Amino acid sequence: KSYPYPSFEVRDLHTVDQGVQRHMVPEIRGESFGKKGWHLILGHMLGVDHVGHRLGSNHPEMALKLAEMNLVIGQVMNAIETGEEKDDNTLFVVMSDHGMNYEGNHGGATFQETSASLFFFTPKQRAFANPITTPLPNPANPHTYASVSQIDIVPTISMLLGAPIPFGSLGMIIPELFWDSNNPSELLDPLHVNSA
């Protein structure tokens, strides 16, 4: 099932995002069919990208769009945790495909352009998860951010979903997502599968 919206109009900051918001939570909650009828839901929101390209990353419209994204993320997390079809094995991943410089461009080699957001959430791990702590950004030392290599995302998502890691993958699982301080040896199995 899909809900397509026109996405190539960079001046349109809201149509695609509003469409995703209109359908995402009802689909998660199973309101379309009266039960959870999905295994995978993808929502591709474009407003932040469009604001950046048109107005730059420091424009007041960017702050509004980021606040809207925070609200959507909270609504999705709430739907995952409280829905009638609640499944503790649900995995919610939020990621961006690129960063941007202050003018709203990307493709270069600056830290702002080559860094992107990544967020994992599952209600199953909420009770004992050890989140990766991310210090506030320090312009003098941009490496104070918690970071992972892009090639590590595919093996991590594969392992979290119980799917085989693609043969050509060179990445390593993000260990913090598999670490349980109550049972540290739990990390050994995913690391062994990853190395094999």
Side-chain angles (χ1 to χ4, degrees):
K1 187 164 36 165
S2 65
Y3 303 99
Y5 291 90
S7 61
F8 293 113
E9 180 54 63
V10 178
R11 291 175 293 191
D12 182 353
L13 308 179
H14 305 292
T15 300
V16 173
D17 291 357
Q18 290 169 350
V20 172
Q21 291 175 54
R22 186 175 304 117
H23 298 289
M24 181 74 78
V25 169
E27 288 294 334
I28 290 169
R29 291 184 187 261
E31 294 170 6
S32 296
F33 298 110
K35 63 175 185 156
K36 182 176 154 183
W38 56 270
H39 294 285
L40 175 69
I41 296 178
L42 299 173
H44 184 195
M45 302 183 92
L46 293 173
V48 171
D49 187 68
H50 288 185
V51 170
H53 285 304
R54 285 201 61 234
L55 305 169
S57 61
N58 286 332
H59 193 276
E61 189 67 38
M62 181 63 81
L64 294 173
K65 187 51 80 171
L66 291 173
E68 179 186 335
M69 294 303 101
N70 284 343
L71 182 65
V72 171
I73 290 169
Q75 290 170 341
V76 170
M77 289 172 65
N78 184 55
I80 290 170
E81 285 193 302
T82 63
E84 279 187 36
E85 298 291 325
K86 180 184 173 194
D87 180 354
D88 283 345
N89 290 314
T90 299
L91 175 64
F92 176 45
V93 180
V94 179
M95 65 178 86
S96 60
D97 57 345
H98 58 76
M100 65 178 65
N101 62 20
Y102 296 117
E103 291 80 35
N105 298 316
H106 58 84
T110 67
F111 177 74
Q112 289 81 10
E113 294 168 272
T114 59
S115 62
S117 301
L118 180 63
F119 172 76
F120 290 85
F121 170 79
T122 178
K124 181 178 186 178
Q125 301 293 345
R126 192 171 186 73
F128 61 85
N130 296 322
I132 302 171
T133 56
T134 307
L136 293 174
N138 177 354
N141 182 6
H143 300 289
T144 57
Y145 287 93
S147 65
V148 298
S149 295
Q150 191 174 30
I151 63 170
D152 295 342
I153 296 171
V154 168
T156 299
I157 291 175
S158 296
M159 289 290 295
L160 289 171
L161 295 178
I165 297 172
F167 179 76
S169 174
L170 300 175
M172 182 181 136
I173 60 167
I174 301 168
E176 291 88 348
L177 297 176
F178 298 87
W179 173 259
D180 177 1
S181 59
N182 296 323
N183 191 0
S185 63
E186 286 282 316
L187 181 58
L188 296 176
D189 287 339
L191 285 172
H192 175 74
V193 170
N194 188 190
S195 64

